[in-house]
Amino acid sequence: MAFKFIFLSDAFYQTYIHCSEIEQKKDRPYICLLVDIDGVQFAIPLRSNIRHPHCYLTDPENHCGADYSKAIVLVKQTYIDTVRKPHIRQNEFDALRGK
């Protein structure tokens, strides 16, 4: 299982504009972990201040990590922003490497 870091596209946010579970933060979009499991692509947002157990903490002291409770299935490749390139903190990258 390989992963990469992505942003979701404007097309994704427009499609799901009325979904209350998906935060619409145009000025600060979430970096997501794109994971392919058995041919199904999942986007798992990297978030801070996570206060529940449904996550993989990359920075336990600051409650940062991959939030499984907000994971989505990507049904279209156009939902991946191919222009913006995400950058994450080195300590979080190190925590995810090889996992």
Side-chain angles (χ1 to χ4, degrees), residues 61-85:
E61 184 177 317
N62 294 301
H63 303 278
C64 298
D67 187 348
Y68 303 140
S69 73
K70 299 292 182 183
I72 58 158
V73 175
L74 284 180
V75 295
K76 295 182 182 179
Q77 290 300 304
T78 57
Y79 289 165
I80 298 171
D81 183 334
T82 58
V83 177
R84 293 182 292 171
K85 302 297 178 204

